[in-house]
Amino acid sequence: MAIETESDLGSEDWDEILEPNAAVFNLRLREVWLYRDLLYLFTHRDIVSFYKQTILGPLWFFIQPIFTTLVYVLVFGKIAKLSSDGIPQILFYMSGVVLWNYFSECFNKTATVFRDNAALFGKVYFPRLLIPLSIVTSNLIRFAIQFGLFLALLIYFVAIGEVTPNAWALLLPLSVFVMATLGLAFGMLFSALTTKYRDLIFLLQFGVQLLMYATPVIYPMSQIPDGISGVLAWNPLAPVFELTRLGFLGSGTVSIGGLVYAATFAVVAFLVSTVIFNRVERTFMDSV
Amino acid sequence: MSAAIRFENVSKRYRLGEVGTGTLSHDLHRFVARLFGRPDPFALVGTINDREVADGSGGGIRDDVQGDNAGDSDRDETSGKVSDGSRNKRRNDYVWALKDIDFEVPRGEILGIIGRNGAGKSTLLKLLSKITAPTSGRIKTKGRVASLLEVGTGFQPELTGRENIYLNGALLGMRRHEIRSRLGEIIEFSGCAKYIDTPVKRYSSGMTVRLGFAVAAHLDCEILVVDEVLAVGDAEFQNRCIGRMREVSAGGGKTVLFVSHNMGSVRSLCRQGVVLDRGELVTMAPISDAIRDYFDLNAGAETGAHWHATADPTSVFAVEHVSVVGQGQQSYAATEQSNVISPDEPFQITIQYAVGKPLPPMRVGFQILSGEGPVVVEAYDSDAHDCRGPRSPGRYCSTCTIPGHLLSPGWYYLTLNAGIPHVENLFNKAGVVKFRIHESELDRAQRTRRSGVLQPCFQWETKPS
């Protein structure tokens, strides 16, 4: 709903005017700021309810990436014998798994926001954008914990002299930012579309899986034949993965152009999907 | 007094039937129409929201929209009739839940919004609380709007009561420090102090409701929107809620919009009333006038001394028939229309209903409301000693005999009520039956009219002294 300033209303000082058509380019981020405490509480809720009444509690944050990494080492490293760019396989796959987990969780959870929260959205108003934001934030905490695991492993390998991190590692926040923004953008776009056209959910389910193979998670960029690398260059996630590996593990294919492309793509996608999300949010209760 | 809320020609259109099928085709139609500068082909301005009338094609409006794409060419060629029907139907896929609502609420007012089910009350509140956007028109508000559409919304079962107070408060737009400063007050109001650090999933439903209302009632807002929340609680809780709402309106100058089917609480809480019918504003008047209009609407053509419901055989509780019959009259079958009772004759209120599954001790009863407004009496079958045990499935008929020489002449409306006290409200419908006590022979002869809701025949003794 449109929130206008009071200037154009003449003598009457209404605080808020609800109208059928809101300004398209009003992202309503000011409102999100007003509700920032709710963001904190939603994040808290997500984290706590994840492990409440489980035996292992927060340990689950570790178990999943460890086992996935071990399986990847076995299948892709030992059986398929994919190259890991000279990096110890366990480190190579764990970096991929931890990063990919973050992106795919953000994407998957955000994509079903309207469906999962229909009951809540139907009863009370708050800036709907908060739910996607809380998903990204609570996953960020999970990501931090899992990345800590990766760092612990990394320290061991650095100590025995197998890998040497370099200054590129300092760009980790950029990688995280791009992944979060992209996950959010794609997720919001999907969630907006699935309120009307439900079948897009199926597309999402295998789409995310396929996207993983189009991203250097289980293989390094350097191994891609020339013909295909051009095709894969559109993927804004690729530079991010390579950047992280280059920084922490000392091997990756990174170009400044690729990074700029990834960051720009993420920001533009975020703005566009926020506009669409806000538009759908206004009337989605009528169609869900 | 300055206005706190103003509705300006607000309308809301809903699409009927199964949303999701055919939306793409409608969207494309709309897009093409807009491209050529034609008006929206699905926005019919003339239709009103009448749930009970099934439209032209013979399908009820709740039908699915399988006829949606039936207007395409091959069907057209084979049978003109079919396409006619489906075109008709497509027109009626959209309905106005609200039409040109235009009114203003002054600051500090407690406004009751009444109307039958589907009159648009909840839609109005949904628009106001920004859950969905209006189709046309504008709503202007001054101050923070807090809506209490359902108590306990957004409670997270895994979190403790205290954590949920924060979460729920933030959902309703409070800052954390605001909640912290009122935490004690909220906990005290809820009466859950002992369990405040227990996960909410272990709460009883009553405790959850109390906690939810406690949070909402201590909100810092200028406009409070309350929809039917009182239906869930027991009488003590309801009174507490009403008291609190009156308090915030009188003391804090807050504006309260209150929707309820319970005319008793609407009357005791509100000063002004808005009556909605089929999405249109019928009355905006002082509450007793509004309630009278509401009853008159309800008591339209179909309401007489008898009310037949189409009972759903699978439901837990279903009322089949209600009647008011004077004892001087014959059984209802013969005198379908007569709802005029003479003041001296006793009359019987009969409620026939079916119970679908075993129920704990429950009660069925009624309120008699006078046409001028107030509730005259309220009575339940459990007033009788032998009617207080658990109820096994089956059909029942409860008859209450009301003595003659009790009510004063005038129109009366019956509100039917059934429920398991403190647990569940099974049935509540206002104005199911209306009847009239006609004036006594004496009054008619003397051409007088007495004041008062009751007109008993007291014992008088007058002798020369």
Side-chain angles (χ1 to χ4, degrees):
Chain A
M1 273 127 261
I3 295 175
E4 293 182 2
T5 45
E6 292 151 15
S7 56
D8 59 331
L9 301 170
S11 56
E12 288 175 321
D13 51 339
W14 300 102
D15 289 338
E16 204 167 331
I17 296 184
L18 313 180
E19 278 179 311
N21 296 308
V24 174
F25 294 106
N26 185 353
L27 296 180
R28 310 218 310 270
L29 297 178
R30 191 178 67 96
E31 215 184 344
V32 170
W33 176 247
L34 286 177
Y35 273 83
R36 59 191 178 276
D37 282 347
L38 190 58
L39 179 63
Y40 165 79
L41 288 160
F42 271 140
T43 309
H44 174 78
R45 176 195 73 170
D46 289 349
I47 294 282
V48 171
S49 57
F50 175 73
Y51 65 78
K52 273 234 173 143
Q53 252 192 29
T54 56
I55 302 177
L56 298 174
L59 271 184
W60 281 110
F61 289 132
F62 295 116
I63 293 170
Q64 193 262 351
I66 289 176
F67 278 84
T68 318
T69 305
L70 290 179
V71 170
Y72 281 9
V73 168
L74 195 68
V75 176
F76 299 118
K78 301 285 183 247
I79 299 175
K81 294 201 168 52
L82 292 179
S83 157
S84 62
D85 242 6
I87 301 166
Q89 283 180 340
I90 190 156
L91 274 182
F92 180 85
Y93 289 117
M94 186 170 276
S95 66
V97 164
V98 168
L99 288 175
W100 181 256
N101 267 355
Y102 181 54
F103 170 77
S104 70
E105 278 289 310
C106 287
F107 187 1
N108 277 324
K109 287 266 180 60
T110 311
T112 51
V113 154
F114 282 120
R115 210 184 42 174
D116 296 346
N117 295 283
L120 186 59
F121 284 3
K123 297 289 182 234
V124 59
Y125 175 79
F126 54 90
R128 308 309 194 199
L129 205 55
L130 277 180
I131 298 263
L133 286 177
S134 80
I135 289 170
V136 168
T137 325
S138 62
N139 275 313
L140 191 62
I141 292 166
R142 252 172 91 164
F143 171 75
I145 295 170
Q146 298 185 344
F147 201 76
L149 178 73
F150 167 74
L151 285 183
L153 206 63
L154 179 70
I155 288 169
Y156 168 76
F157 279 95
V158 170
I160 63 169
E162 288 211 23
V163 289
T164 39
N166 54 50
W168 286 99
L170 297 176
L171 283 178
L172 178 70
L174 177 71
S175 305
V176 175
F177 169 78
V178 169
M179 280 191 302
T181 317
L182 277 177
L184 201 61
F186 288 158
M188 288 199 299
L189 197 64
F190 261 88
S191 66
L193 294 174
T194 46
T195 58
K196 262 196 161 176
Y197 313 113
R198 280 280 166 93
D199 33 4
L200 288 176
I201 294 268
F202 308 123
L203 177 65
L204 171 75
Q205 278 162 359
F206 73 85
V208 174
Q209 245 169 9
L210 292 185
L211 189 59
M212 188 181 102
Y213 293 100
T215 309
V217 176
I218 51 167
Y219 55 83
M221 257 329 224
S222 60
Q223 292 300 305
I224 296 173
D226 283 346
I228 306 176
S229 68
V231 180
L232 287 186
W234 60 265
N235 185 350
L237 284 168
V240 166
F241 278 68
E242 289 294 313
L243 172 67
T244 313
R245 285 204 180 119
L246 176 61
F248 287 89
L249 307 175
S251 164
T253 323
V254 174
S255 71
I256 299 294
L259 289 177
V260 171
Y261 163 71
T264 317
F265 187 102
V267 169
V268 170
F270 174 74
L271 293 178
V272 169
S273 58
T274 306
V275 167
I276 295 176
F277 185 88
N278 280 343
R279 230 184 141 67
V280 166
E281 170 264 300
R282 289 160 45 77
T283 53
F284 99 100
M285 268 327 290
D286 310 338
S287 58
V288 128
Chain B
M1 209 186 291
S2 66
I5 310 167
R6 183 188 289 163
F7 288 81
E8 288 178 358
N9 290 311
V10 174
S11 297
K12 175 71 184 173
R13 182 189 55 207
Y14 279 115
R15 186 172 188 281
L16 292 166
E18 219 175 279
V19 177
T21 51
T23 37
L24 188 57
S25 78
H26 281 207
D27 286 354
L28 289 176
H29 267 109
R30 271 218 188 94
F31 179 73
V32 171
R34 206 180 298 162
L35 214 60
F36 291 102
R38 276 181 266 145
D40 188 339
F42 299 105
L44 283 176
V45 184
T47 37
I48 53 165
N49 173 18
D50 191 346
R51 291 173 309 130
E52 278 133 42
V53 177
D55 295 294
S57 61
I61 50 174
R62 264 187 238 104
D63 260 2
D64 62 14
V65 282
Q66 52 170 2
D68 210 52
N69 50 3
D72 51 22
S73 54
D74 55 338
R75 282 286 268 290
D76 266 348
E77 282 160 29
T78 49
S79 149
K81 216 174 173 193
V82 170
S83 82
D84 250 20
S86 56
R87 204 168 288 149
N88 222 340
K89 188 148 168 195
R90 191 177 62 190
R91 280 167 38 137
N92 293 312
D93 280 347
Y94 292 88
V95 80
W96 292 98
L98 285 178
K99 270 206 66 190
D100 298 332
I101 301 295
D102 202 88
F103 68 94
E104 207 176 86
V105 189
R107 197 169 152 260
E109 182 70 271
I110 310 186
L111 182 76
I113 298 173
I114 50 186
R116 290 186 288 179
N117 285 330
K121 308 182 295 291
S122 297
T123 307
L124 191 76
L125 297 196
K126 273 187 177 161
L127 292 181
L128 186 60
S129 44
K130 297 197 280 192
I131 285 162
T132 181
T135 310
S136 67
R138 295 172 143 203
I139 303 170
K140 298 176 174 176
T141 56
K142 209 178 285 176
R144 184 151 66 171
V145 180
S147 59
L148 190 52
L149 299 188
E150 201 169 277
V151 165
T153 298
F155 270 175
Q156 192 66 24
E158 298 289 349
L159 298 183
T160 67
R162 190 189 302 276
E163 288 168 324
N164 265 309
I165 291 179
Y166 279 106
L167 183 61
N168 217 9
L171 264 180
L172 294 165
M174 280 165 103
R175 299 294 318 277
R176 249 190 312 161
H177 60 83
E178 289 178 276
I179 305 170
R180 199 176 301 123
S181 66
R182 296 197 187 165
L183 196 61
E185 225 180 312
I186 293 174
I187 294 175
E188 194 194 337
F189 189 92
S190 73
C192 300
K194 209 171 152 192
Y195 307 94
I196 204 67
D197 290 312
T198 308
V200 163
K201 62 181 171 182
R202 314 226 184 281
Y203 278 30
S204 74
S205 56
M207 278 159 66
T208 320
V209 168
R210 277 161 187 276
L211 194 62
F213 188 84
V215 177
H218 292 83
L219 267 181
D220 211 4
C221 64
E222 282 74 42
I223 299 167
L224 184 63
V225 175
V226 184
D227 186 10
E228 299 278 12
V229 278
L230 304 180
V232 282
D234 56 29
E236 186 259 328
F237 172 73
Q238 293 189 2
N239 286 337
R240 210 204 283 218
C241 296
I242 288 190
R244 176 73 201 177
M245 281 191 272
R246 201 176 282 144
E247 216 173 279
V248 298
S249 150
K254 295 182 191 179
T255 313
V256 179
L257 260 70
F258 180 59
V259 164
S260 179
H261 285 288
N262 184 338
M263 290 306 131
S265 37
V266 171
R267 167 176 304 284
S268 68
L269 182 64
C270 307
R271 286 183 292 261
Q272 285 276 318
V274 160
V275 182
L276 294 178
D277 187 46
R278 298 175 194 169
E280 289 180 77
L281 182 83
V282 179
T283 314
M284 169 137 184
I287 193 69
S288 43
D289 296 345
I291 288 180
R292 198 192 52 228
D293 284 1
Y294 165 65
F295 280 134
D296 280 346
L297 267 181
N298 259 6
E302 75 268 32
T303 310
H306 302 276
W307 181 70
H308 293 274
T310 41
D312 173 10
T314 58
S315 63
V316 176
F317 178 90
V319 175
E320 293 168 345
H321 181 251
V322 183
S323 67
V324 178
V325 179
Q327 257 175 15
Q329 300 170 8
Q330 295 140 10
S331 78
Y332 64 83
T335 60
E336 196 69 37
Q337 290 308 316
S338 112
N339 54 358
V340 182
I341 294 159
S342 85
D344 53 351
E345 76 175 330
F347 61 96
Q348 287 182 326
I349 294 174
T350 308
I351 307 163
Q352 280 181 17
Y353 57 96
V355 174
K357 69 168 200 197
L359 287 176
M362 57 162 290
R363 59 185 197 176
V364 176
F366 55 83
Q367 288 178 335
I368 296 179
L369 289 88
S370 103
E372 268 82 55
V375 176
V376 181
V377 293
E378 180 167 349
Y380 292 96
D381 60 350
S382 55
D383 295 348
H385 282 287
D386 60 351
C387 197
R388 292 180 188 167
R391 205 65 69 99
S392 50
R395 298 178 69 199
Y396 294 89
C397 179
S398 299
T399 304
C400 174
T401 304
I402 295 178
H405 295 298
L406 180 68
L407 299 177
S408 67
W411 282 104
Y412 292 90
Y413 302 90
L414 212 65
T415 294
L416 208 59
N417 197 337
I420 303 161
H422 302 286
V423 180
E424 199 185 347
N425 208 340
L426 295 168
F427 186 89
N428 191 313
K429 189 170 164 67
V432 278
V433 168
K434 99 172 177 181
F435 59 92
R436 192 162 76 91
I437 306 285
H438 72 72
E439 49 189 353
S440 64
E441 295 297 325
L442 181 68
D443 280 343
R444 193 177 298 167
Q446 294 182 342
R447 293 201 196 160
T448 51
R449 186 174 155 66
R450 308 179 191 203
S451 54
V453 183
L454 300 181
Q455 196 171 315
C457 193
F458 295 124
Q459 197 166 8
W460 282 91
E461 224 171 298
T462 311
K463 43 188 179 189
S465 58

